[in-house]
Amino acid sequence: MSKADWLEQVHRFLTLEWANAACEGRTFNEFAYLRTIGLLEANVQRAETATERFGPRLSDLADAMAVRRASASTMLTKLEREGLVERKHSRLDARTQHIKLTEEGQAAVKVGLKLYERSAAQLLAAIGDHQADILALSAGRAAKRAKETRRTGPHS
């Protein structure tokens, strides 16, 4: 099996695991947004006043997801309607929206993470600890390279 075939099989495995688990009816894309918002929330330290410490900005989310702001805003509207996120305009700049997971959004992230933990355990049990360590290191490097490529473009 080629490396590309192996990667496709892993992707297919995870996709089927997600679909079979149904994760409270959430799509993987919704989970990805919620997870990213949660990670960004944990890192928000921009503002000096408590009123501005609401959450990451829409632009932060769009950058982290590598999507246009309009796409991120559309998904946030859906997630907000479902009670999973809150949006709030900045008191300092009305053009800026801050985003925060609701308790329901945090619960949805936990459900998705449990699925990944279960899937990872199955996958890693099949390949062993040494290969799992190599895979984790390689995946981290690939993610870093992909993020750098998004910032600078593929040919810089």
Side-chain angles (χ1 to χ4, degrees):
M1 176 182 296
S2 74
K3 292 172 187 167
D5 289 341
W6 178 84
L7 186 58
E8 180 184 354
Q9 290 296 319
V10 170
H11 176 74
R12 184 173 292 135
F13 166 74
L14 293 172
T15 300
L16 290 173
E17 285 290 301
W18 188 272
N20 290 335
C23 288
E24 299 179 349
R26 308 261 171 260
T27 66
F28 175 77
N29 197 34
E30 291 168 339
F31 169 76
Y33 271 89
L34 293 170
R35 176 70 170 140
T36 302
I37 293 166
L39 292 171
L40 290 171
E41 274 186 291
N43 294 324
V44 169
Q45 297 178 352
R46 296 182 193 288
E48 296 180 13
T49 64
T51 57
E52 287 299 306
R53 288 190 192 153
F54 186 74
R57 301 171 301 173
L58 175 64
S59 58
D60 297 329
L61 177 61
D63 290 347
M65 295 292 298
V67 299
R68 294 195 166 120
R69 287 184 182 115
S71 296
S73 184
T74 299
M75 178 58 83
L76 285 175
T77 298
K78 179 180 181 183
L79 296 173
E80 192 173 32
R81 271 194 309 244
E82 294 178 15
L84 301 169
V85 299
E86 295 177 65
R87 282 194 277 187
K88 184 177 177 181
H89 285 282
S90 168
R91 290 181 185 221
L92 302 177
D93 183 350
R95 299 170 296 174
T96 299
Q97 292 182 357
H98 294 279
I99 308 148
K100 179 180 175 182
L101 291 177
T102 62
E103 287 183 23
E104 293 85 2
Q106 292 170 5
V109 169
K110 287 179 183 176
V111 168
L113 289 176
K114 284 181 184 174
L115 168 64
Y116 272 104
E117 289 168 8
R118 199 169 52 244
S119 299
Q122 290 175 358
L123 179 63
L124 299 179
I127 65 173
D129 289 342
H130 180 69
Q131 285 86 1
D133 290 343
I134 293 169
L135 179 61
L137 180 63
S138 300
R141 287 179 180 163
K144 182 179 178 184
R145 189 173 301 133
K147 189 173 183 179
E148 289 170 355
T149 301
R150 279 197 313 260
R151 269 194 224 126
T152 61
H155 302 293
S156 40

PDB file of all heavy atoms in Angstrom, residues 25 30 35 37 44 47 51 54 63 69 73-74 76 83 92 115 121 132-133 140:
ATOM      1  N   GLY A  25     -25.703  14.775  15.719  1.00  0.00           N
ATOM      2  CA  GLY A  25     -26.169  15.378  14.479  1.00  0.00           C
ATOM      3  C   GLY A  25     -25.263  16.464  13.921  1.00  0.00           C
ATOM      4  O   GLY A  25     -25.593  17.106  12.933  1.00  0.00           O
ATOM      5  N   GLU A  30     -18.856  21.529  11.382  1.00  0.00           N
ATOM      6  CA  GLU A  30     -19.336  22.270  12.565  1.00  0.00           C
ATOM      7  C   GLU A  30     -18.424  22.002  13.754  1.00  0.00           C
ATOM      8  O   GLU A  30     -18.058  22.921  14.483  1.00  0.00           O
ATOM      9  CB  GLU A  30     -20.776  21.862  12.892  1.00  0.00           C
ATOM     10  CG  GLU A  30     -21.779  22.330  11.868  1.00  0.00           C
ATOM     11  CD  GLU A  30     -23.144  21.698  12.032  1.00  0.00           C
ATOM     12  OE1 GLU A  30     -23.256  20.619  12.655  1.00  0.00           O
ATOM     13  OE2 GLU A  30     -24.105  22.284  11.521  1.00  0.00           O
ATOM     14  N   ARG A  35     -14.356  23.456  17.709  1.00  0.00           N
ATOM     15  CA  ARG A  35     -13.064  23.104  18.315  1.00  0.00           C
ATOM     16  C   ARG A  35     -12.075  24.254  18.168  1.00  0.00           C
ATOM     17  O   ARG A  35     -11.373  24.606  19.114  1.00  0.00           O
ATOM     18  CB  ARG A  35     -12.521  21.839  17.652  1.00  0.00           C
ATOM     19  CG  ARG A  35     -11.147  21.431  18.122  1.00  0.00           C
ATOM     20  CD  ARG A  35     -11.170  20.929  19.538  1.00  0.00           C
ATOM     21  NE  ARG A  35      -9.875  20.332  19.854  1.00  0.00           N
ATOM     22  CZ  ARG A  35      -9.256  20.477  20.994  1.00  0.00           C
ATOM     23  NH1 ARG A  35      -9.808  21.157  21.984  1.00  0.00           N
ATOM     24  NH2 ARG A  35      -8.089  19.911  21.203  1.00  0.00           N
ATOM     25  N   ILE A  37     -12.756  27.463  17.764  1.00  0.00           N
ATOM     26  CA  ILE A  37     -13.175  28.568  18.641  1.00  0.00           C
ATOM     27  C   ILE A  37     -12.718  28.288  20.068  1.00  0.00           C
ATOM     28  O   ILE A  37     -12.178  29.172  20.743  1.00  0.00           O
ATOM     29  CB  ILE A  37     -14.704  28.774  18.584  1.00  0.00           C
ATOM     30  CG1 ILE A  37     -15.120  29.283  17.208  1.00  0.00           C
ATOM     31  CG2 ILE A  37     -15.163  29.744  19.681  1.00  0.00           C
ATOM     32  CD1 ILE A  37     -16.621  29.195  16.939  1.00  0.00           C
ATOM     33  N   VAL A  44      -6.912  33.699  24.040  1.00  0.00           N
ATOM     34  CA  VAL A  44      -7.218  35.125  23.918  1.00  0.00           C
ATOM     35  C   VAL A  44      -6.649  35.878  25.111  1.00  0.00           C
ATOM     36  O   VAL A  44      -6.976  35.600  26.246  1.00  0.00           O
ATOM     37  CB  VAL A  44      -8.740  35.369  23.816  1.00  0.00           C
ATOM     38  CG1 VAL A  44      -9.065  36.846  23.952  1.00  0.00           C
ATOM     39  CG2 VAL A  44      -9.258  34.855  22.500  1.00  0.00           C
ATOM     40  N   ALA A  47      -7.162  41.932  25.097  1.00  0.00           N
ATOM     41  CA  ALA A  47      -7.711  43.145  25.682  1.00  0.00           C
ATOM     42  C   ALA A  47      -7.274  43.327  27.127  1.00  0.00           C
ATOM     43  O   ALA A  47      -6.915  42.388  27.807  1.00  0.00           O
ATOM     44  CB  ALA A  47      -9.232  43.102  25.608  1.00  0.00           C
ATOM     45  N   THR A  51     -14.460  43.722  29.853  1.00  0.00           N
ATOM     46  CA  THR A  51     -15.535  43.767  28.860  1.00  0.00           C
ATOM     47  C   THR A  51     -15.047  43.340  27.486  1.00  0.00           C
ATOM     48  O   THR A  51     -15.834  42.914  26.660  1.00  0.00           O
ATOM     49  CB  THR A  51     -16.138  45.186  28.751  1.00  0.00           C
ATOM     50  OG1 THR A  51     -15.086  46.101  28.417  1.00  0.00           O
ATOM     51  CG2 THR A  51     -16.793  45.597  30.047  1.00  0.00           C
ATOM     52  N   PHE A  54     -14.066  38.810  25.812  1.00  0.00           N
ATOM     53  CA  PHE A  54     -15.196  37.951  25.504  1.00  0.00           C
ATOM     54  C   PHE A  54     -14.772  36.723  24.723  1.00  0.00           C
ATOM     55  O   PHE A  54     -15.249  35.636  24.970  1.00  0.00           O
ATOM     56  CB  PHE A  54     -16.256  38.750  24.729  1.00  0.00           C
ATOM     57  CG  PHE A  54     -17.521  37.986  24.492  1.00  0.00           C
ATOM     58  CD1 PHE A  54     -18.415  37.759  25.523  1.00  0.00           C
ATOM     59  CD2 PHE A  54     -17.817  37.475  23.242  1.00  0.00           C
ATOM     60  CE1 PHE A  54     -19.575  37.048  25.317  1.00  0.00           C
ATOM     61  CE2 PHE A  54     -18.980  36.764  23.018  1.00  0.00           C
ATOM     62  CZ  PHE A  54     -19.861  36.551  24.059  1.00  0.00           C
ATOM     63  N   ASP A  63      -8.873  33.112   9.974  1.00  0.00           N
ATOM     64  CA  ASP A  63      -7.453  32.811   9.734  1.00  0.00           C
ATOM     65  C   ASP A  63      -7.100  31.399  10.188  1.00  0.00           C
ATOM     66  O   ASP A  63      -6.423  30.659   9.477  1.00  0.00           O
ATOM     67  CB  ASP A  63      -6.561  33.823  10.448  1.00  0.00           C
ATOM     68  CG  ASP A  63      -6.608  35.208   9.834  1.00  0.00           C
ATOM     69  OD1 ASP A  63      -7.130  35.359   8.707  1.00  0.00           O
ATOM     70  OD2 ASP A  63      -6.144  36.160  10.499  1.00  0.00           O
ATOM     71  N   ARG A  69     -13.606  35.399   5.667  1.00  0.00           N
ATOM     72  CA  ARG A  69     -14.428  35.876   6.793  1.00  0.00           C
ATOM     73  C   ARG A  69     -15.913  35.648   6.532  1.00  0.00           C
ATOM     74  O   ARG A  69     -16.662  35.324   7.454  1.00  0.00           O
ATOM     75  CB  ARG A  69     -14.139  37.345   7.067  1.00  0.00           C
ATOM     76  CG  ARG A  69     -12.792  37.548   7.709  1.00  0.00           C
ATOM     77  CD  ARG A  69     -12.546  39.006   8.067  1.00  0.00           C
ATOM     78  NE  ARG A  69     -11.232  39.135   8.636  1.00  0.00           N
ATOM     79  CZ  ARG A  69     -10.243  39.806   8.081  1.00  0.00           C
ATOM     80  NH1 ARG A  69     -10.432  40.452   6.948  1.00  0.00           N
ATOM     81  NH2 ARG A  69      -9.069  39.856   8.658  1.00  0.00           N
ATOM     82  N   SER A  73     -18.369  33.695   8.974  1.00  0.00           N
ATOM     83  CA  SER A  73     -19.556  34.378   9.483  1.00  0.00           C
ATOM     84  C   SER A  73     -20.817  33.568   9.206  1.00  0.00           C
ATOM     85  O   SER A  73     -21.710  33.468  10.067  1.00  0.00           O
ATOM     86  CB  SER A  73     -19.667  35.774   8.870  1.00  0.00           C
ATOM     87  OG  SER A  73     -20.765  36.460   9.425  1.00  0.00           O
ATOM     88  N   THR A  74     -20.894  32.967   8.029  1.00  0.00           N
ATOM     89  CA  THR A  74     -22.050  32.133   7.689  1.00  0.00           C
ATOM     90  C   THR A  74     -22.155  30.942   8.645  1.00  0.00           C
ATOM     91  O   THR A  74     -23.240  30.634   9.152  1.00  0.00           O
ATOM     92  CB  THR A  74     -21.943  31.645   6.232  1.00  0.00           C
ATOM     93  OG1 THR A  74     -21.939  32.785   5.372  1.00  0.00           O
ATOM     94  CG2 THR A  74     -23.095  30.724   5.868  1.00  0.00           C
ATOM     95  N   LEU A  76     -20.871  30.746  11.645  1.00  0.00           N
ATOM     96  CA  LEU A  76     -21.175  31.251  12.981  1.00  0.00           C
ATOM     97  C   LEU A  76     -22.658  31.565  13.133  1.00  0.00           C
ATOM     98  O   LEU A  76     -23.233  31.336  14.201  1.00  0.00           O
ATOM     99  CB  LEU A  76     -20.341  32.494  13.284  1.00  0.00           C
ATOM    100  CG  LEU A  76     -18.884  32.222  13.599  1.00  0.00           C
ATOM    101  CD1 LEU A  76     -18.119  33.520  13.753  1.00  0.00           C
ATOM    102  CD2 LEU A  76     -18.739  31.359  14.841  1.00  0.00           C
ATOM    103  N   GLY A  83     -27.511  27.704  19.227  1.00  0.00           N
ATOM    104  CA  GLY A  83     -27.174  27.929  20.627  1.00  0.00           C
ATOM    105  C   GLY A  83     -25.798  27.443  21.033  1.00  0.00           C
ATOM    106  O   GLY A  83     -25.522  27.251  22.215  1.00  0.00           O
ATOM    107  N   LEU A  92     -14.933  48.584  21.909  1.00  0.00           N
ATOM    108  CA  LEU A  92     -13.896  49.480  21.419  1.00  0.00           C
ATOM    109  C   LEU A  92     -13.955  49.706  19.916  1.00  0.00           C
ATOM    110  O   LEU A  92     -13.512  50.734  19.427  1.00  0.00           O
ATOM    111  CB  LEU A  92     -12.510  48.933  21.800  1.00  0.00           C
ATOM    112  CG  LEU A  92     -12.265  48.728  23.290  1.00  0.00           C
ATOM    113  CD1 LEU A  92     -10.891  48.110  23.511  1.00  0.00           C
ATOM    114  CD2 LEU A  92     -12.396  50.040  24.038  1.00  0.00           C
ATOM    115  N   LEU A 115     -14.902  11.077  20.512  1.00  0.00           N
ATOM    116  CA  LEU A 115     -14.861  10.250  19.305  1.00  0.00           C
ATOM    117  C   LEU A 115     -13.428  10.146  18.792  1.00  0.00           C
ATOM    118  O   LEU A 115     -12.962   9.058  18.439  1.00  0.00           O
ATOM    119  CB  LEU A 115     -15.760  10.835  18.221  1.00  0.00           C
ATOM    120  CG  LEU A 115     -15.587  10.223  16.833  1.00  0.00           C
ATOM    121  CD1 LEU A 115     -15.983   8.752  16.830  1.00  0.00           C
ATOM    122  CD2 LEU A 115     -16.378  10.987  15.810  1.00  0.00           C
ATOM    123  N   ALA A 121      -7.293   5.655  19.627  1.00  0.00           N
ATOM    124  CA  ALA A 121      -6.896   4.445  20.352  1.00  0.00           C
ATOM    125  C   ALA A 121      -6.948   3.229  19.436  1.00  0.00           C
ATOM    126  O   ALA A 121      -6.037   2.385  19.456  1.00  0.00           O
ATOM    127  CB  ALA A 121      -7.797   4.258  21.572  1.00  0.00           C
ATOM    128  N   ALA A 132       3.402   5.095  16.354  1.00  0.00           N
ATOM    129  CA  ALA A 132       2.469   6.156  16.749  1.00  0.00           C
ATOM    130  C   ALA A 132       3.227   7.435  17.097  1.00  0.00           C
ATOM    131  O   ALA A 132       2.798   8.537  16.733  1.00  0.00           O
ATOM    132  CB  ALA A 132       1.621   5.701  17.936  1.00  0.00           C
ATOM    133  N   ASP A 133       4.361   7.293  17.784  1.00  0.00           N
ATOM    134  CA  ASP A 133       5.177   8.473  18.106  1.00  0.00           C
ATOM    135  C   ASP A 133       5.697   9.143  16.841  1.00  0.00           C
ATOM    136  O   ASP A 133       5.692  10.366  16.714  1.00  0.00           O
ATOM    137  CB  ASP A 133       6.353   8.080  19.008  1.00  0.00           C
ATOM    138  CG  ASP A 133       5.920   7.682  20.409  1.00  0.00           C
ATOM    139  OD1 ASP A 133       4.775   8.017  20.794  1.00  0.00           O
ATOM    140  OD2 ASP A 133       6.731   7.038  21.104  1.00  0.00           O
ATOM    141  N   GLY A 140       2.505  16.637  13.205  1.00  0.00           N
ATOM    142  CA  GLY A 140       2.764  17.979  13.717  1.00  0.00           C
ATOM    143  C   GLY A 140       3.586  18.810  12.746  1.00  0.00           C
ATOM    144  O   GLY A 140       3.300  19.985  12.504  1.00  0.00           O
TER     145      GLY A 140
END
